[in-house]
PDB file of all heavy atoms in Angstrom:
ATOM      1  N   TYR A  48     144.208  49.257 223.860  1.00 91.00           N
ATOM      2  CA  TYR A  48     144.140  50.069 222.646  1.00 91.00           C
ATOM      3  C   TYR A  48     144.677  49.304 221.438  1.00 91.00           C
ATOM      4  O   TYR A  48     144.175  49.470 220.320  1.00 91.00           O
ATOM      5  CB  TYR A  48     144.916  51.371 222.843  1.00 91.00           C
ATOM      6  CG  TYR A  48     144.162  52.411 223.635  1.00 91.00           C
ATOM      7  CD1 TYR A  48     144.483  52.662 224.962  1.00 91.00           C
ATOM      8  CD2 TYR A  48     143.129  53.139 223.058  1.00 91.00           C
ATOM      9  CE1 TYR A  48     143.782  53.611 225.705  1.00 91.00           C
ATOM     10  CE2 TYR A  48     142.430  54.097 223.782  1.00 91.00           C
ATOM     11  CZ  TYR A  48     142.761  54.322 225.100  1.00 91.00           C
ATOM     12  OH  TYR A  48     142.059  55.261 225.816  1.00 91.00           O
ATOM     13  N   GLY A  49     145.685  48.486 221.653  1.00 91.00           N
ATOM     14  CA  GLY A  49     146.212  47.685 220.556  1.00 91.00           C
ATOM     15  C   GLY A  49     145.174  46.738 219.997  1.00 91.00           C
ATOM     16  O   GLY A  49     145.083  46.543 218.778  1.00 91.00           O
ATOM     17  N   LEU A  50     144.354  46.150 220.880  1.00 91.00           N
ATOM     18  CA  LEU A  50     143.281  45.267 220.427  1.00 91.00           C
ATOM     19  C   LEU A  50     142.251  46.027 219.592  1.00 91.00           C
ATOM     20  O   LEU A  50     141.746  45.517 218.575  1.00 91.00           O
ATOM     21  CB  LEU A  50     142.602  44.607 221.631  1.00 91.00           C
ATOM     22  CG  LEU A  50     143.406  43.501 222.320  1.00 91.00           C
ATOM     23  CD1 LEU A  50     142.716  43.081 223.615  1.00 91.00           C
ATOM     24  CD2 LEU A  50     143.571  42.295 221.388  1.00 91.00           C
ATOM     25  N   VAL A  51     141.928  47.243 220.024  1.00 86.00           N
ATOM     26  CA  VAL A  51     140.971  48.062 219.265  1.00 86.00           C
ATOM     27  C   VAL A  51     141.502  48.327 217.858  1.00 86.00           C
ATOM     28  O   VAL A  51     140.803  48.160 216.854  1.00 86.00           O
ATOM     29  CB  VAL A  51     140.697  49.390 219.993  1.00 86.00           C
ATOM     30  CG1 VAL A  51     139.868  50.323 219.100  1.00 86.00           C
ATOM     31  CG2 VAL A  51     139.972  49.141 221.291  1.00 86.00           C
ATOM     32  N   PHE A  52     142.769  48.737 217.780  1.00 84.00           N
ATOM     33  CA  PHE A  52     143.360  49.036 216.473  1.00 84.00           C
ATOM     34  C   PHE A  52     143.587  47.774 215.639  1.00 84.00           C
ATOM     35  O   PHE A  52     143.799  47.866 214.428  1.00 84.00           O
ATOM     36  CB  PHE A  52     144.685  49.769 216.670  1.00 84.00           C
ATOM     37  CG  PHE A  52     144.526  51.246 216.868  1.00 84.00           C
ATOM     38  CD1 PHE A  52     144.805  51.817 218.091  1.00 84.00           C
ATOM     39  CD2 PHE A  52     144.082  52.062 215.839  1.00 84.00           C
ATOM     40  CE1 PHE A  52     144.650  53.192 218.292  1.00 84.00           C
ATOM     41  CE2 PHE A  52     143.929  53.422 216.020  1.00 84.00           C
ATOM     42  CZ  PHE A  52     144.210  53.996 217.247  1.00 84.00           C
ATOM     43  N   THR A  53     143.588  46.620 216.264  1.00 87.00           N
ATOM     44  CA  THR A  53     143.698  45.356 215.511  1.00 87.00           C
ATOM     45  C   THR A  53     142.347  44.935 214.959  1.00 87.00           C
ATOM     46  O   THR A  53     142.242  44.450 213.820  1.00 87.00           O
ATOM     47  CB  THR A  53     144.252  44.249 216.436  1.00 87.00           C
ATOM     48  OG1 THR A  53     145.538  44.631 216.912  1.00 87.00           O
ATOM     49  CG2 THR A  53     144.377  42.933 215.668  1.00 87.00           C
ATOM     50  N   ILE A  54     141.301  45.143 215.734  1.00 85.00           N
ATOM     51  CA  ILE A  54     139.956  44.756 215.311  1.00 85.00           C
ATOM     52  C   ILE A  54     139.499  45.562 214.089  1.00 85.00           C
ATOM     53  O   ILE A  54     138.859  45.010 213.178  1.00 85.00           O
ATOM     54  CB  ILE A  54     138.961  44.952 216.477  1.00 85.00           C
ATOM     55  CG1 ILE A  54     139.247  43.921 217.574  1.00 85.00           C
ATOM     56  CG2 ILE A  54     137.524  44.825 215.997  1.00 85.00           C
ATOM     57  CD1 ILE A  54     138.486  44.165 218.850  1.00 85.00           C
ATOM     58  N   ILE A  55     139.873  46.836 214.035  1.00 77.00           N
ATOM     59  CA  ILE A  55     139.400  47.689 212.936  1.00 77.00           C
ATOM     60  C   ILE A  55     139.906  47.201 211.573  1.00 77.00           C
ATOM     61  O   ILE A  55     139.105  46.928 210.665  1.00 77.00           O
ATOM     62  CB  ILE A  55     139.790  49.153 213.183  1.00 77.00           C
ATOM     63  CG1 ILE A  55     139.028  49.687 214.400  1.00 77.00           C
ATOM     64  CG2 ILE A  55     139.458  50.005 211.961  1.00 77.00           C
ATOM     65  CD1 ILE A  55     139.462  51.076 214.835  1.00 77.00           C
ATOM     66  N   PRO A  56     141.241  47.075 211.347  1.00 75.00           N
ATOM     67  CA  PRO A  56     141.688  46.585 210.025  1.00 75.00           C
ATOM     68  C   PRO A  56     141.269  45.140 209.766  1.00 75.00           C
ATOM     69  O   PRO A  56     141.004  44.771 208.616  1.00 75.00           O
ATOM     70  CB  PRO A  56     143.200  46.719 210.088  1.00 75.00           C
ATOM     71  CG  PRO A  56     143.541  46.736 211.532  1.00 75.00           C
ATOM     72  CD  PRO A  56     142.403  47.414 212.204  1.00 75.00           C
ATOM     73  N   ALA A  57     141.185  44.325 210.828  1.00 79.00           N
ATOM     74  CA  ALA A  57     140.738  42.935 210.641  1.00 79.00           C
ATOM     75  C   ALA A  57     139.289  42.911 210.165  1.00 79.00           C
ATOM     76  O   ALA A  57     138.923  42.097 209.309  1.00 79.00           O
ATOM     77  CB  ALA A  57     140.873  42.174 211.959  1.00 79.00           C
ATOM     78  N   SER A  58     138.462  43.823 210.682  1.00 77.00           N
ATOM     79  CA  SER A  58     137.067  43.902 210.258  1.00 77.00           C
ATOM     80  C   SER A  58     136.946  44.325 208.804  1.00 77.00           C
ATOM     81  O   SER A  58     136.115  43.808 208.054  1.00 77.00           O
ATOM     82  CB  SER A  58     136.309  44.882 211.149  1.00 77.00           C
ATOM     83  OG  SER A  58     136.327  44.461 212.501  1.00 77.00           O
ATOM     84  N   ILE A  59     137.815  45.275 208.403  1.00 73.00           N
ATOM     85  CA  ILE A  59     137.795  45.734 207.001  1.00 73.00           C
ATOM     86  C   ILE A  59     138.157  44.572 206.073  1.00 73.00           C
ATOM     87  O   ILE A  59     137.495  44.344 205.050  1.00 73.00           O
ATOM     88  CB  ILE A  59     138.767  46.901 206.806  1.00 73.00           C
ATOM     89  CG1 ILE A  59     138.269  48.140 207.581  1.00 73.00           C
ATOM     90  CG2 ILE A  59     138.915  47.241 205.322  1.00 73.00           C
ATOM     91  CD1 ILE A  59     139.217  49.304 207.536  1.00 73.00           C
ATOM     92  N   MET A  60     139.198  43.823 206.437  1.00 73.00           N
ATOM     93  CA  MET A  60     139.602  42.690 205.593  1.00 73.00           C
ATOM     94  C   MET A  60     138.515  41.616 205.565  1.00 73.00           C
ATOM     95  O   MET A  60     138.249  41.006 204.518  1.00 73.00           O
ATOM     96  CB  MET A  60     140.914  42.100 206.136  1.00 73.00           C
ATOM     97  CG  MET A  60     142.107  43.026 206.010  1.00 73.00           C
ATOM     98  SD  MET A  60     143.630  42.343 206.722  1.00 73.00           S
ATOM     99  CE  MET A  60     143.938  40.970 205.612  1.00 73.00           C
ATOM    100  N   TYR A  61     137.844  41.406 206.682  1.00 76.00           N
ATOM    101  CA  TYR A  61     136.773  40.409 206.746  1.00 76.00           C
ATOM    102  C   TYR A  61     135.594  40.826 205.868  1.00 76.00           C
ATOM    103  O   TYR A  61     135.008  40.006 205.155  1.00 76.00           O
ATOM    104  CB  TYR A  61     136.321  40.230 208.190  1.00 76.00           C
ATOM    105  CG  TYR A  61     135.157  39.275 208.351  1.00 76.00           C
ATOM    106  CD1 TYR A  61     135.355  37.890 208.279  1.00 76.00           C
ATOM    107  CD2 TYR A  61     133.862  39.747 208.552  1.00 76.00           C
ATOM    108  CE1 TYR A  61     134.298  37.015 208.411  1.00 76.00           C
ATOM    109  CE2 TYR A  61     132.787  38.883 208.686  1.00 76.00           C
ATOM    110  CZ  TYR A  61     133.010  37.507 208.606  1.00 76.00           C
ATOM    111  OH  TYR A  61     131.951  36.643 208.740  1.00 76.00           O
ATOM    112  N   LEU A  62     135.251  42.122 205.905  1.00 71.00           N
ATOM    113  CA  LEU A  62     134.141  42.626 205.083  1.00 71.00           C
ATOM    114  C   LEU A  62     134.437  42.461 203.604  1.00 71.00           C
ATOM    115  O   LEU A  62     133.569  42.072 202.810  1.00 71.00           O
ATOM    116  CB  LEU A  62     133.869  44.090 205.411  1.00 71.00           C
ATOM    117  CG  LEU A  62     133.168  44.386 206.742  1.00 71.00           C
ATOM    118  CD1 LEU A  62     133.135  45.876 206.993  1.00 71.00           C
ATOM    119  CD2 LEU A  62     131.764  43.806 206.737  1.00 71.00           C
ATOM    120  N   VAL A  63     135.671  42.761 203.218  1.00 69.00           N
ATOM    121  CA  VAL A  63     136.067  42.609 201.813  1.00 69.00           C
ATOM    122  C   VAL A  63     135.968  41.146 201.387  1.00 69.00           C
ATOM    123  O   VAL A  63     135.477  40.817 200.302  1.00 69.00           O
ATOM    124  CB  VAL A  63     137.497  43.142 201.584  1.00 69.00           C
ATOM    125  CG1 VAL A  63     137.972  42.813 200.168  1.00 69.00           C
ATOM    126  CG2 VAL A  63     137.548  44.639 201.827  1.00 69.00           C
ATOM    127  N   TYR A  64     136.423  40.259 202.269  1.00 72.00           N
ATOM    128  CA  TYR A  64     136.404  38.826 201.952  1.00 72.00           C
ATOM    129  C   TYR A  64     134.965  38.303 201.864  1.00 72.00           C
ATOM    130  O   TYR A  64     134.611  37.575 200.923  1.00 72.00           O
ATOM    131  CB  TYR A  64     137.171  38.061 203.015  1.00 72.00           C
ATOM    132  CG  TYR A  64     137.125  36.557 202.844  1.00 72.00           C
ATOM    133  CD1 TYR A  64     137.920  35.923 201.875  1.00 72.00           C
ATOM    134  CD2 TYR A  64     136.285  35.773 203.641  1.00 72.00           C
ATOM    135  CE1 TYR A  64     137.871  34.550 201.713  1.00 72.00           C
ATOM    136  CE2 TYR A  64     136.235  34.399 203.478  1.00 72.00           C
ATOM    137  CZ  TYR A  64     137.020  33.796 202.521  1.00 72.00           C
ATOM    138  OH  TYR A  64     136.963  32.423 202.364  1.00 72.00           O
ATOM    139  N   GLU A  65     134.127  38.656 202.831  1.00 73.00           N
ATOM    140  CA  GLU A  65     132.748  38.159 202.862  1.00 73.00           C
ATOM    141  C   GLU A  65     131.895  38.737 201.747  1.00 73.00           C
ATOM    142  O   GLU A  65     131.072  38.042 201.146  1.00 73.00           O
ATOM    143  CB  GLU A  65     132.101  38.481 204.216  1.00 73.00           C
ATOM    144  CG  GLU A  65     132.585  37.598 205.347  1.00 73.00           C
ATOM    145  CD  GLU A  65     132.179  36.149 205.153  1.00 73.00           C
ATOM    146  OE1 GLU A  65     130.987  35.900 204.880  1.00 73.00           O
ATOM    147  OE2 GLU A  65     133.041  35.259 205.280  1.00 73.00           O
ATOM    148  N   ALA A  66     132.074  40.031 201.460  1.00 68.00           N
ATOM    149  CA  ALA A  66     131.258  40.669 200.446  1.00 68.00           C
ATOM    150  C   ALA A  66     131.719  40.319 199.040  1.00 68.00           C
ATOM    151  O   ALA A  66     130.948  40.420 198.083  1.00 68.00           O
ATOM    152  CB  ALA A  66     131.278  42.191 200.619  1.00 68.00           C
ATOM    153  N   GLY A  67     132.954  39.891 198.914  1.00 65.00           N
ATOM    154  CA  GLY A  67     133.494  39.559 197.601  1.00 65.00           C
ATOM    155  C   GLY A  67     133.627  40.768 196.702  1.00 65.00           C
ATOM    156  O   GLY A  67     133.661  40.644 195.480  1.00 65.00           O
ATOM    157  N   THR A  68     133.677  41.958 197.279  1.00 58.00           N
ATOM    158  CA  THR A  68     133.791  43.192 196.504  1.00 58.00           C
ATOM    159  C   THR A  68     134.585  44.207 197.310  1.00 58.00           C
ATOM    160  O   THR A  68     134.601  44.167 198.544  1.00 58.00           O
ATOM    161  CB  THR A  68     132.414  43.786 196.170  1.00 58.00           C
ATOM    162  OG1 THR A  68     132.606  45.059 195.514  1.00 58.00           O
ATOM    163  CG2 THR A  68     131.584  43.993 197.426  1.00 58.00           C
ATOM    164  N   HIS A  69     135.202  45.125 196.610  1.00 57.00           N
ATOM    165  CA  HIS A  69     135.976  46.182 197.268  1.00 57.00           C
ATOM    166  C   HIS A  69     135.120  47.398 197.590  1.00 57.00           C
ATOM    167  O   HIS A  69     135.631  48.385 198.136  1.00 57.00           O
ATOM    168  CB  HIS A  69     137.155  46.609 196.386  1.00 57.00           C
ATOM    169  CG  HIS A  69     138.141  45.501 196.144  1.00 57.00           C
ATOM    170  ND1 HIS A  69     138.942  45.014 197.155  1.00 57.00           N
ATOM    171  CD2 HIS A  69     138.442  44.784 195.028  1.00 57.00           C
ATOM    172  CE1 HIS A  69     139.723  44.053 196.676  1.00 57.00           C
ATOM    173  NE2 HIS A  69     139.439  43.888 195.391  1.00 57.00           N
TER     174      HIS A  69
END
Side-chain angles (χ1 to χ4, degrees):
Y48 281 104
L50 286 172
V51 172
F52 277 111
T53 300
I54 291 171
I55 294 173
S58 299
I59 293 175
M60 293 177 67
Y61 177 77
L62 286 173
V63 173
Y64 176 77
E65 285 294 311
T68 175
H69 297 291

